Amino acid sequence: MTLTVKNTAKTFPDGTRALLPTDLTVGEGEILSLLGPSGCGKTTLLRIIAGLEQPDAGSRVFFGETDVTGLAVERRNVGMVFQSYALFPNMSVRANVGYGLKVRHVPKAERDRRVDEVLQLCRLADYADRPVQALSGGQQQRVALARAVAPRPKILLLDEPLSALDAALRDSLRDELAAMLRQFRITAVFVTHDQAEALAIADRIAVMSEGELQQVGAPEDLYHAPASAFVARFIGNAIPLTGERDNGALILKGGRLELAENSANKEVYVRAESIRLDPEGSLAGVVETAVFSGGHYRLAIRDVLSDGALLQAHHPGKTAPKSGDTVRLSISPSDLLYLSDQPSGPK
Amino acid sequence: MNRSFSWWLQLAVTLLTAAFLIVPAIQSILAGLTVSYFRGLSSGLTLKWITRVWELYADSIFLSLWLAVSCLVVTLVIGVPAAYALARNPGRLSRVLEEFISLPLAVPGLALALALLQLYGTVTGFRTSWTFILVGHVLYTLPFMVRSVLAVLMAMDFKTLEESAATLGATAPTRFWTIIVPNAMPGILAGALTVVTLSIGEFNLTWMLHTPYLKTLPVGLADSYASMRLEVASAYTLIFFVMIVPLLMAMQWATARAQRIAQ
Amino acid sequence: MTSRTFVAACLVPLAAFTLAFLALPLVRLLQGSVETEAGWAIYLQILQKPRYLETLVNTVLVSLAVSVTALLISTVAGVFLARNRFFGRGLLLSILTLPLAFPGVVVGFMIILLGGRQGLFNQLLPGHVVFAYSLTGLFLGYLYFSIPRVLLTVMAAVEKLDPALEEAARTLGASPLRVVVDVILPGLAPSLVAAGAIAFATAMGAFGTAFTLATNIDVLPMVIYTEFTLSANIAMASALSVLLGLVTWVLLLAARSFTGTTVAAGG
């Protein structure tokens, strides 16, 4: 089932514009992530799709060809995984998962069959008759997912499904969640503020900021060709390079940096992983700190950027320069990001 | 262990206070079971006063039980949905409404009874029926039910639970029955026990609202205190204790449990 | 049915009941108080006629004495029980909270058993000690009624006090008495004020105890009762009820703003 959102906006009673008029389409079976910092309107959009929030007049939400804008949440047939999971504490795992079928009056035999099937898929069969409070965070998350998909919803919605877990568990469950979502083949929208989560799970990512869609595209496209400074910063933590232009190059405090052609009038951004230690490099700086983080060293280098900020670089070697060492750096012109000047950006 | 003088003083105050509260209760239990209160225990133990009370006042005991059960039903029907609605709309209007229905906790029962009598005293069919007393009991116990349920609801994230039930296809009435009521059960139970305990013991309103043919247990108590010999009054009080004390203990247990959940 | 209509429907029974049996009767009560020729001046009469004024003063004085005494006793016992663990503590606690379920009439009977003509004291010291049917009896009855309520409030408040504060005061060299004065009492103050107000308001409106004991003592609830039933002076009974209701309601409202809790006032 495709999901189409047309001209959809939300203004709260106090006048706050949580969501500016937005158009978005999610293809059949596609997993789309709404990514953005807190307060960017992503949860509002999700809740409007679910029917939990009433959008402003003129907004339209379609499931396939059907306009569901005026349809109450309980009649939309969506599945939703809540940030807190919202498992019913008065019911067992099985009763939670079967709830959506029960309230739709699916006969008991059919209901039991479907519940068993979903419990199996979510590896919950062994816990079926436990009370939900007796489960670990990861298990609760799977119950929430199983409960949402058991009634075979048209659209699956997930609101920060991993954020209630601690960091270690979150990383391991991320790929598992991605795999489970794929096997259900349900059109899914999931909200997150964590770019790693979005990159790992989503087919396409919609980056949002201040109630507006910034860019929608495949994870690779957003990473390699961000449409705005905000997207560049938010996905991959690109930082701006500022300095005087000199004949196709940028003059930084640490030296001269060659730019690609057609870069005039565009802002230049760079990511830590694009910076190489290179004895022949055109830039010079002094190592402030060098932190070993497993796969690489994270270097903070001073006296390179003209604004006095530290330049972050990832260095994959087995040894690293020490604090106080002077190093030379190079950045390939094709690894730099060239973005048109535009107003929206992080504040 | 060495106790200071002040420790013993505090213990003495506590013990004296306990004695002040328990001694007359014990006296009344003994008086209800002895042949002659004036001659004391040496006159022997008997159940004849209890039997006498039963002959005289069984109706009032049954009326009180009937009123308590009816009062519970009415407060459940009115109070539980109302607590839910108040929890759903936690605005100023809800606060004012909650404050208003709590008036019978603050305003003496006598004043409320006068108010009811002046408005409905001439509606004879109603005035002389047990439902008139029931109204008074509901008026007085309803705020306890509403608050008890409200406290438990406010302590859990019932809004998200409801939203999640809604996304699963549950309509508003279904959500109320399958999600709200089961999860508010500790509050409902505590409220229910409070309602029954208070209804059985209610006197202030009941005394004004009752008719000679409709005496509740406490009205009968007042009657026996005024006109019966001490042994009968004591035996009647003993019956009241036997009814109310287990209720009180259950109520305290349920309230503590609901409060633990509400934290 | 949409959610909004359902939630609104949930309020309908409450709204209907409250309107019919609380709002309208209270309006009728107010109306009933000004139906005589005196009109609103009836409220002035309360302050002008010695009988009513004396009753008012009596009621306030007894209630005040009860609140102060109940606070003193309950604070000592409450702090003691909350801070000490010893054999029999549970039993003591049960005894001290048992009368919570006693209606005023039963409390009155308890006082008769203590201080009536056949009471305990009169048996021990025959012919001399009958206090049940006087102001003393009423005072003791209200005290009996209030102690469990105040005690529970105090104990709840003591359990919320941070023991680290007391320990800090001790390490700084404060004597046990100083700790009570400097740390415990200030910490309990809001709850004590609230509990005192509840005890006061309860005593002001207590009818059952007075009815059992005090056929001759002029306290406000008894005067209201006799005005209504014996004198058929419905306007004055109504006016006194309005006054009494206002006083207790305002007091309890103020008390609740201190702690946010309510204890049953009636009984």
Side-chain angles (χ1 to χ4, degrees), chain B residues 6-83:
Chain B
S6 116
W7 191 89
W8 290 109
L9 192 68
Q10 290 175 56
L11 179 67
V13 170
T14 310
L15 287 176
L16 271 175
T17 310
F20 169 53
L21 298 183
I22 199 69
V23 164
I26 292 172
Q27 275 181 278
S28 107
I29 293 169
L30 289 179
L33 295 172
T34 48
V35 174
S36 162
Y37 175 71
F38 194 67
R39 285 191 289 139
L41 270 177
S42 56
S43 64
L45 293 174
T46 176
L47 285 178
K48 77 170 174 187
W49 306 123
I50 303 268
T51 326
R52 182 101 185 91
V53 168
W54 196 254
E55 286 161 10
L56 286 168
Y57 294 110
D59 287 353
S60 77
I61 294 171
F62 286 122
L63 177 64
S64 268
L65 290 175
W66 169 244
L67 272 171
V69 171
S70 312
C71 184
L72 175 60
V73 171
V74 177
T75 49
L76 283 174
V77 169
I78 298 180
V80 178

Side-chain angles (χ1 to χ4, degrees), chain A residues 92-106:
Chain A
S92 67
V93 170
R94 172 180 292 280
N96 263 280
V97 175
Y99 184 83
L101 299 166
K102 193 175 173 186
V103 297
R104 290 192 177 90
H105 307 294
V106 175

Side-chain angles (χ1 to χ4, degrees), chain A:
Chain A
M1 178 94 27
T2 55
L3 163 69
T4 313
V5 170
K6 281 187 185 157
N7 191 35
T8 294
K10 175 74 187 177
T11 311
F12 282 112
D14 65 353
T16 319
R17 304 210 62 187
L19 187 67
L20 300 171
T22 296
D23 296 286
L24 184 66
T25 303
V26 187
E28 170 95 48
E30 187 183 28
I31 301 174
L32 178 104
S33 167
L34 294 175
L35 174 67
S38 65
C40 71
K42 57 190 192 300
T43 298
T44 305
L45 179 53
L46 191 81
R47 289 172 62 84
I48 289 172
I49 297 169
L52 292 168
E53 210 80 69
Q54 199 59 43
D56 295 350
S59 307
R60 284 278 168 274
V61 179
F62 296 87
F63 289 180
E65 299 297 308
T66 322
D67 184 344
V68 298
T69 318
L71 210 58
V73 47
E74 61 263 27
R75 302 182 55 202
R76 284 196 189 189
N77 198 8
V78 293
M80 185 151 170
V81 175
F82 287 78
Q83 190 169 4
S84 61
Y85 308 145
L87 300 180
F88 305 133
N90 54 314
M91 300 179 197
S92 67
V93 170
R94 172 180 292 280
N96 263 280
V97 175
Y99 184 83
L101 299 166
K102 193 175 173 186
V103 297
R104 290 192 177 90
H105 307 294
V106 175
K108 177 130 178 33
E110 162 79 355
R111 194 162 82 211
D112 286 345
R113 201 181 54 70
R114 297 250 299 261
V115 169
D116 284 334
E117 184 186 297
V118 176
L119 287 174
Q120 208 72 49
L121 276 175
C122 295
R123 292 186 291 107
L124 287 164
D126 294 345
Y127 310 104
D129 297 310
R130 299 233 185 130
V132 289
Q133 294 96 326
L135 302 182
S136 71
Q139 289 163 345
Q140 292 192 356
Q141 197 253 336
R142 294 211 298 274
V143 176
L145 182 64
R147 185 179 67 178
V149 298
R152 304 212 176 118
K154 293 176 178 154
I155 312 275
L156 182 61
L157 305 167
L158 303 97
D159 186 7
E160 303 261 8
L162 295 167
S163 69
L165 304 168
D166 58 50
L169 200 54
R170 195 155 56 218
D171 287 345
S172 71
L173 284 183
R174 195 165 58 206
D175 299 344
E176 182 185 298
L177 179 63
M180 277 198 281
L181 288 181
R182 295 241 139 57
Q183 73 185 6
F184 294 133
R185 294 173 207 283
I186 304 171
T187 307
V189 178
F190 90 93
V191 155
T192 180
H193 66 274
D194 180 347
Q195 47 148 322
E197 226 170 275
L199 294 173
I201 299 176
D203 296 322
R204 280 195 306 151
I205 297 176
V207 180
M208 293 186 70
S209 165
E210 298 185 353
E212 256 184 312
L213 280 184
Q214 297 291 317
Q215 189 176 3
V216 185
E220 294 84 350
D221 294 343
L222 294 185
Y223 188 84
H224 294 301
S228 68
F230 177 81
V231 176
R233 281 174 194 260
F234 201 76
I235 296 187
N237 305 317
I239 58 162
L241 300 173
T242 51
E244 297 218 0
R245 297 297 173 96
D246 177 37
N247 206 4
L250 191 64
I251 309 299
L252 299 172
K253 188 178 176 193
R256 185 182 164 89
L257 180 64
E258 291 297 332
L259 303 178
E261 283 173 31
N262 303 327
S263 62
N265 300 325
K266 292 192 173 172
E267 286 189 37
V268 182
Y269 280 75
V270 69
R271 293 197 177 97
E273 50 268 42
S274 307
I275 301 165
R276 265 185 295 283
L277 290 186
D278 178 359
E280 311 283 291
S282 61
L283 300 172
V286 177
V287 176
E288 178 88 17
T289 58
V291 178
F292 180 59
S293 52
H296 58 259
Y297 289 88
R298 284 187 285 119
L299 306 179
I301 300 162
R302 68 170 188 262
D303 297 340
V304 180
L305 298 180
S306 309
D307 58 6
L310 295 170
L311 180 68
Q312 303 289 336
H314 289 174
H315 169 54
K318 289 194 170 152
T319 58
K322 293 186 175 48
S323 175
D325 289 357
T326 301
V327 290
R328 297 203 73 83
L329 310 165
S330 66
I331 307 171
S332 160
S334 61
D335 285 347
L336 292 166
L337 304 169
Y338 306 99
L339 302 172
S340 313
D341 204 17
Q342 58 158 291
S344 62
K347 296 206 170 145

